[in-house]
Amino acid sequence: ARLDSIIKESPDRIEAKCSVARSCGGCTLQSLDYSAELKLKQNKVENHLKRIGGFDLSNVEIEDIIGMEDPIRYRNKSQFPFGRKNGKNITGYFAGRTHSIVEFDDCIIGIEENKNVLKAVLDFMEKYDIPAYDEESGKGVVRHVLIRKGFATGELMVCIVINANSLPHSDKLVESLCSALGSDLKSVSININKKNTNVILGEKTVTLYGNGYIEDYIGDVKFRISPQSFYQVNPVQTKKLYSKALEYAALTGEETVWDMYCGIGTISLFLAKSAKFVYGVEIVDAAIQNARENAKLNNIENVKFFVGKAEEVITGEYENGNIRDIDVIVVDPPRKGLDKLAIDTMLKLLPKRIVYVSCDSSTLARDLKMLCEKEYELKKLTVVDQFSRSYHTESVCLLSRKDKAV
């Protein structure tokens, strides 16, 4: 449905801080008072668990949603599409469910430096007559600009996604970005994507300036981040989310932990400081390479990372006798949740505790229903407002084996 007119305002309605909030469609809750937004998200997660999962939450320890002090300027990563309108290059965000660019130069949930980067890139394109990419014709050069910032370090990265093998006058663009961003700029690169696809990044990235990465911290764990790395977009809330996951894991230093869908090792390394040993599994090879580098970067030796499907790797290691008892399994799957084979594997290995981190409460509820049918019970739940001003949430749950319930 689309809002046509307001007959009577809700007492929770406020004026959106962003002038293009409605047309952009990214921040769907900009007109909602933040305290009401938190209540809405808490209710959404609980209702999914009741309706889809069939849970009686009266026996579950439900903590208050963890919100933000100020729900703006929290995103450490933004990807801006480029296009042409009335004969000139433009950028902004795609309007909801379209590939029509809503033109603007600042996003209030993104970092303030985005505006300087976009101006520098547009000025460069105008000066050297470099056209933006046109999806219909497949012609043009600049497709997207990806910007990342390490909130703890202040380090900045700019990656230009192009529909070409090289970017003309790229040295001048580097000079312009250095002038606009100063010493905080640590990496400028181009990513080559000449395919007719909705996928933003191509397979090849060429570094133009710096080391090709930036560094950031979650707590006291340092991470090296490349343009392709998966890294949570809200570092302030990520620390709270991972701290809650660590609390639910209840590690004493004697546990063996498996981190399924470990990505670049963010949760694995966070847990390793309190566990006996942590194993991480991820199907993306480049992510595992980053995870191993991040372990070395932090001098963390009680971790081991595997490339492959988590359920196959864990089962193989267990059946080969390489691991014995599994005390805790941590899962942080994509939005689609766990597949049945992953759930069957967990029910076969029967760790004492499962910590489930979820970015989609509907698939979370579906998966918990299967896990808690016989072997586990849902003990604790915390919702974290990871994506303020949008309807998305993160949740973390603790499942305990029924014969080991805490």
Side-chain angles (χ1 to χ4, degrees), residues 66-104:
I66 300 175
M68 298 195 70
E69 290 183 14
D70 190 4
I72 63 170
R73 301 294 183 195
Y74 66 81
R75 284 190 65 95
N76 59 13
K77 174 188 174 186
S78 296
Q79 299 173 124
F80 295 93
F82 277 63
R84 289 185 68 80
K85 183 178 180 181
N86 298 326
K88 72 167 187 172
N89 296 317
I90 63 167
T91 188
Y93 278 146
F94 290 132
R97 301 179 181 86
T98 77
H99 271 211
S100 175
I101 295 177
V102 177
E103 187 178 0
F104 63 90

Side-chain angles (χ1 to χ4, degrees), residues 258 304 306 312-323:
W258 276 87
K304 186 175 182 179
F306 297 87
E312 294 177 0
V313 171
I314 294 174
T315 301
E317 290 295 305
Y318 189 80
E319 290 179 348
N320 290 335
N322 295 332
I323 52 173

Side-chain angles (χ1 to χ4, degrees), residues 262-265 280-294 305-308:
C262 70
I264 65 169
V281 193
E282 171 63 54
I283 199 167
V284 180
D285 181 68
I288 288 298
Q289 291 180 34
N290 286 338
R292 290 168 178 159
E293 291 169 0
N294 287 326
F305 294 104
F306 297 87
V307 177

Side-chain angles (χ1 to χ4, degrees), residues 217 220-223 269 273 293-300:
Y217 287 85
D220 60 353
V221 182
K222 183 189 287 188
F223 294 95
L269 300 178
K273 297 206 168 189
E293 291 169 0
N294 287 326
K296 290 180 181 178
L297 192 65
N298 290 277
N299 297 314
I300 296 176

Side-chain angles (χ1 to χ4, degrees), residues 224-282:
R224 191 165 286 176
I225 308 156
S226 67
Q228 292 94 343
S229 298
F230 171 78
Y231 190 69
Q232 290 277 7
V233 298
N234 186 338
V236 173
Q237 295 298 89
T238 296
K239 183 180 178 182
K240 299 173 185 176
L241 176 72
Y242 289 179
S243 295
K244 187 57 64 174
L246 179 62
E247 176 189 324
Y248 283 3
L251 302 177
T252 65
E254 298 300 321
E255 293 83 7
T256 298
V257 181
W258 276 87
D259 179 11
M260 300 168 70
Y261 313 95
C262 70
I264 65 169
T266 46
I267 294 182
S268 301
L269 300 178
F270 208 73
L271 297 174
K273 297 206 168 189
S274 302
K276 180 179 180 181
F277 207 91
V278 177
Y279 298 90
V281 193
E282 171 63 54

Side-chain angles (χ1 to χ4, degrees), residues 147-161:
I147 308 165
R148 292 186 112 144
K149 181 177 182 178
F151 273 33
T153 62
E155 296 183 359
L156 292 163
M157 164 193 295
V158 179
C159 179
I160 319 295
V161 184

